[in-house]
Amino acid sequence: KTRRERKISYITKLIESNALRRNVFYSHYKQTKEYFDLTIATTAKAILQKARQPYIVRIWVDGLKKSERFIFKSGLRKFAISVDKVQGVKNEQNNALILLADAMAGFMRDCIEGDKEMRELYQRMVEAKMVNKV
C-alpha cells in the first residue's frame, strides 16, 4: 500500500546502510497453497544457514494465530531446531521487525513479478551480499 517512491527510497537506504548484510533470506514457491508449511520450511532453512551452536531461536510471525504457535514450533523441531519461543504478531502493532519483513516480502514479490526497477535494486542487494535464497 506504500507509494512506489517511498518503497524505492526505503530499499535503497537499507542497501546503503549495509545493516542487513547476509541477513535477508527468502524462498520462492510456485503454484502452491501450502503457505503455512512452506513458511516453516523457509524459516528452518534460514535458521540452519545462519545459526551457530549454541543458539536461541525466538520467532515472530506476522498473523500467526495463538493456536498455530505450537504447530509452527513443532514444525521447526522436525528440522532439529531448538526453539525458545514462537509468537504471532499483528501488523497493526507496528512491530519494527515485522514491518521490515513485510517490506522485504513485498520487495521480493515485486522482483519475482518482473518489476525492472526493483530487480535492479535486488541486484544491488546481491552485490552487497544481503540476500540469500534458501
Side-chain angles (χ1 to χ4, degrees), residues 54-65:
Y55 64 84
I56 296 173
V57 176
R58 293 185 182 116
I59 299 169
W60 288 264
V61 181
D62 188 16
L64 186 71
K65 298 174 188 161

Side-chain angles (χ1 to χ4, degrees), residues 15-131:
I15 294 167
E16 290 168 354
S17 77
N18 214 17
L20 297 178
R21 188 174 172 91
R22 291 179 167 68
N23 285 312
V24 177
F25 297 88
Y26 75 97
S27 290
H28 176 230
Y29 304 97
K30 296 179 182 179
Q31 299 178 346
T32 182
K33 295 186 192 272
E34 300 297 323
Y35 174 78
F36 192 76
D37 291 336
L38 294 173
T39 300
I40 292 169
T42 299
T43 302
K45 289 189 261 181
I47 291 167
L48 292 170
Q49 267 201 10
K50 188 75 177 175
R52 300 291 174 256
Q53 292 288 352
Y55 64 84
I56 296 173
V57 176
R58 293 185 182 116
I59 299 169
W60 288 264
V61 181
D62 188 16
L64 186 71
K65 298 174 188 161
K66 197 172 189 176
S67 61
E68 296 171 325
R69 285 191 260 181
F70 178 78
I71 299 166
F72 202 97
K73 201 172 187 179
S74 296
L76 290 174
R77 286 196 178 120
K78 290 178 185 172
F79 289 88
I81 296 171
S82 176
V83 182
D84 178 53
K85 180 179 185 174
V86 172
Q87 181 70 46
V89 179
K90 292 182 181 172
N91 205 357
E92 307 87 61
Q93 292 173 314
N94 284 328
N95 179 298
L97 292 176
I98 292 295
L99 293 172
L100 172 62
D102 268 357
M104 293 308 302
F107 168 72
M108 295 308 296
R109 184 191 58 243
D110 290 345
C111 292
I112 289 165
E113 290 177 353
D115 185 311
K116 185 179 177 186
E117 200 166 7
M118 295 301 182
R119 282 183 177 239
E120 289 170 6
L121 286 172
Y122 174 81
Q123 276 310 120
R124 286 183 56 199
M125 290 182 99
V126 169
E127 291 165 10
K129 295 182 174 28
M130 293 174 76
V131 293

